[in-house]
Each structure stands twice: as structure tokens, then as C-alpha cells.
Amino acid sequence: MDPEVMKAAYFTDTGGPDNINYGELPVPSRTPGTALVRVAASAVNNVDTFVRAGTYATELTHPQVLGRDVVGTVEQLGTDSPAGFHVGDTVWANSMGFGGRPGTAAQFTAVPIDRLYHLPPELNADGGDAVAVAAVLHSAATANLALHRHAQLQPGETVFIGGASGGVGTAALVQAVRAGARAITSSSAADVERCLSLGASAALDYRSEGFAEELRQAVRTVSDGRGLDVHLETSGRHRLSLAVELLALRGRIIVLSGMAATDSVPLGRLYTKDGSIRGFAISNATVADLAAAAEAVNELLRDGSLRARNVTVLPLSGAADAHAALEAGTVHGKIVLVPQKD
């Protein structure tokens, strides 16, 4: 018998984490072109807090289930479903919970087929694999689109990756090196050696009192005096004046973090270098963009290049605590929600 109700974490009005409810909701309808997915794991991302708070304006359908990332198994398909998916397939998606789509912090979610991807057969949607995969989906796809769709990173170019020990930063470093670029990173002192082990050509401590001069020297050395082709700051600690100074001719600054950040831009130096500053939010990615990123993410999942650190697993009922911790800045790593066993 098909399930009729499910447990879910949801909200009926935008606001703080205390607006999050946990309880029973109807299982989402499997409308034409969707697959009903049994959820094994759902990650919690900063952008999920923006949607819940109303900071990120998007279409919501109340009661709105939280979450955009999911790993699970296909529970139900219709005769309208295209070839390639079958009941029982292990799958993932990373663009749910906004734009009018149901969220993933539930026992079931209805995913549009064109936003659904197979999990590599080396992995499965049960136990540790589901949690480990869910923890990296958002970061890996964000890094891929930032570097390739928006920055148009080319082999041999020099890229600066700020916050390289975080989820997006680590995924960006791995993918930049794989693309044949030379990477300069900033991180905490404790993670400098890790960045070097992942292929960074130079790794700096962002807390260093001499950081600006150290970065100038690293850029001169690594780029052979050309400058930065791409500047990608993932931590929200923007230094746009320094970034523009270090840009190569036609260098690109990609802004993808720091919702409330403000910074002055030396426009004269920017335009005389043919430089550009481009905003990027993965929530605006097209279906085609997401599918291209999914191919790259699956390749990294297959060979084990993507591994999240410090993953905290909570039950769906802990969603409000997870959002509160993210907003308080006390989360070090990733939080993944898993449905409680019936």
C-alpha cells in the first residue's frame, strides 16, 4: 500500500528556527514528471536558513518542508516517467525546497525527473553512504558551477580559493586542480597542510597579520607574475580591493557568499583590467546547469575525491536545532538529517 502520511520538518510562516515544526504531513503527490523518493538523508545548508527566514525570496508552498539536498531510493514512478529510472533505484537531488518544490527533510519527497540523478553504483542509499553523499552534494555542485559555468576556468590559469577548508572551498580546490589550474588557498593555520595535500600550489593562513603581502607574493610566484585569473572567496570574508589589485587582465571575481556583506570596489582598476565581478547563487542554476554539475559530482563520488569532514547526524526532529546552530555560527562541518525508523 502506498504511504499516505509521513513525518517531516516544515514551516508555515517564514521566520526564526522556532517556526520549524516536526510532525505528520501528507506524502507529496507524485505529479506528472516526478518520482516519489524515499528519503535516506537530507543535508542542512546555510541557504536553507535563508529560505526559512524569508531572506531569500522564492516561491513557497505552505506547509513548506525544509531542505534541498536528498539521497534516497525511488519509491514510485508513473507511466509518464522517461526511460532510465526504475522503482528501487538509488538517487539524489540538490534543488528541492524552493521555487515551489517540496523539501527533503521528510520521509518522502516528490522530485522532478529532470532534477533527479542516479547515485553511482559503487555507493548505496543506505547507512553511511547516504549520509556521506548528502553532506557533499550542495558544496560540490556549487563549486563546480562557480568554477566552470561562471568563472570559465581554463587549464593553466591561477585561481584563489578563500575558505578552502570549508565544504565549498574544499570542493573547489579539488575540482580546480583536476581542471589543470594552479590554486592558491586561504584557510585556518590548522588546515594549510591539508590544502597543500589536496594540490594547492600555495596555502596561506587567513589570520596572518601579513596576509595581504603573503598573498601578493604567492600570486606573483604561482602565476609567473600574470595575476589571478579567478578569485573565489567562499567564506564571506571579502577583500574586494585586494582582489581587484591582484587580478590578471580579464580576471574574474565570483561572489557566492556573504548574504549581508558590503565592500567597496576600486572601479578604475577593475575596468582598466577588463576585470569582472559576477554574483552566483546556485538557486538560480538552470536544469541544464545542474545536470552538467551532477555529472561532475558523480565522477568525484565514484573515485572518492569528495569527503565531508565533521558530519553531524541528527533525526528529522532535530531540524530546528540544526538551523539555530547554523545561524549561531557554532557548526563546524556539516549537519545531515535522517528520518527516524518507524
Side-chain angles (χ1 to χ4, degrees):
M1 179 181 294
D2 293 335
E4 295 181 356
V5 296
M6 65 179 183
K7 293 293 181 64
Y10 63 95
F11 60 98
T12 56
D13 292 294
T14 55
D18 55 353
N19 281 31
I20 296 174
N21 302 294
Y22 173 72
E24 286 191 346
L25 289 178
V27 170
S29 300
R30 196 208 61 77
T31 56
T34 67
L36 186 67
V37 173
R38 181 182 290 271
V39 176
S42 171
V44 183
N45 302 298
N46 283 308
V47 68
D48 299 332
T49 70
F50 303 154
V51 171
R52 184 220 69 234
T55 308
Y56 178 77
T58 186
E59 180 186 351
L60 301 174
T61 302
H62 295 298
Q64 178 68 55
V65 174
L66 299 163
R68 64 177 50 203
D69 299 343
V70 62
V71 178
T73 56
V74 175
E75 181 81 6
Q76 187 184 109
L77 287 167
T79 56
D80 59 290
S81 300
F85 286 97
H86 304 88
V87 171
D89 283 354
T90 55
V91 292
W92 63 272
N94 64 334
S95 57
M96 301 296 290
F98 66 101
R101 293 180 290 279
T104 60
Q107 291 176 306
F108 297 92
T109 188
V111 183
I113 293 291
D114 59 2
R115 295 174 179 269
L116 190 65
Y117 317 111
H118 283 102
L119 197 66
E122 296 88 345
L123 305 169
N124 62 68
D126 298 318
D129 279 351
V131 169
V133 171
V136 299
L137 293 178
H138 180 71
S139 299
T142 298
N144 180 269
L145 291 175
L147 288 173
H148 297 294
R149 172 67 177 81
H150 289 262
Q152 297 289 303
L153 183 68
Q154 302 298 313
E157 290 191 324
T158 301
V159 55
F160 169 75
I161 301 170
S165 61
V168 175
T170 298
L173 173 56
V174 168
Q175 293 181 74
V177 171
R178 179 168 293 207
R182 295 172 287 188
I184 301 169
T185 64
S186 70
S187 67
S188 67
D191 286 310
V192 164
E193 289 301 321
R194 179 171 182 265
C195 291
L196 292 172
S197 73
L198 291 174
S201 298
L204 309 176
D205 173 7
Y206 77 90
R207 292 192 180 94
S208 170
E209 291 184 2
F211 174 79
E213 186 52 42
E214 291 167 14
L215 181 57
R216 291 185 184 99
Q217 180 58 47
V219 170
R220 284 192 294 268
T221 301
V222 173
S223 73
D224 297 324
R226 170 181 166 77
L228 290 174
D229 298 289
V230 175
H231 183 283
L232 189 72
E233 178 58 72
T234 72
S235 71
R237 294 183 294 268
H238 298 287
R239 299 179 175 91
L240 290 182
S241 182
L242 179 61
V244 171
E245 173 193 332
L246 296 176
L247 281 187
L249 184 66
R250 299 186 182 88
R252 292 87 72 194
I253 297 172
I254 307 299
V255 180
L256 51 71
S257 64
M259 192 73 165
T262 60
D263 204 350
S264 59
V265 179
L267 291 177
R269 299 196 76 174
L270 181 70
Y271 84 75
T272 54
K273 292 184 175 185
D274 280 2
S276 64
I277 300 177
R278 184 170 186 179
F280 165 55
I282 194 172
S283 298
N284 299 323
T286 66
V287 168
D289 289 338
L290 292 169
E295 289 188 17
V297 171
N298 271 345
E299 182 180 341
L300 295 168
L301 290 173
R302 285 189 193 95
D303 65 20
S305 296
L306 289 178
R307 297 192 182 278
R309 297 192 297 169
N310 304 320
V311 179
T312 299
V313 180
L314 294 177
L316 288 177
S317 57
D321 291 337
H323 276 233
L326 271 181
E327 292 184 337
T330 59
V331 176
H332 301 287
K334 196 76 175 184
I335 299 177
V336 176
L337 303 175
V338 296
Q340 291 94 316
K341 299 296 183 181
D342 292 332

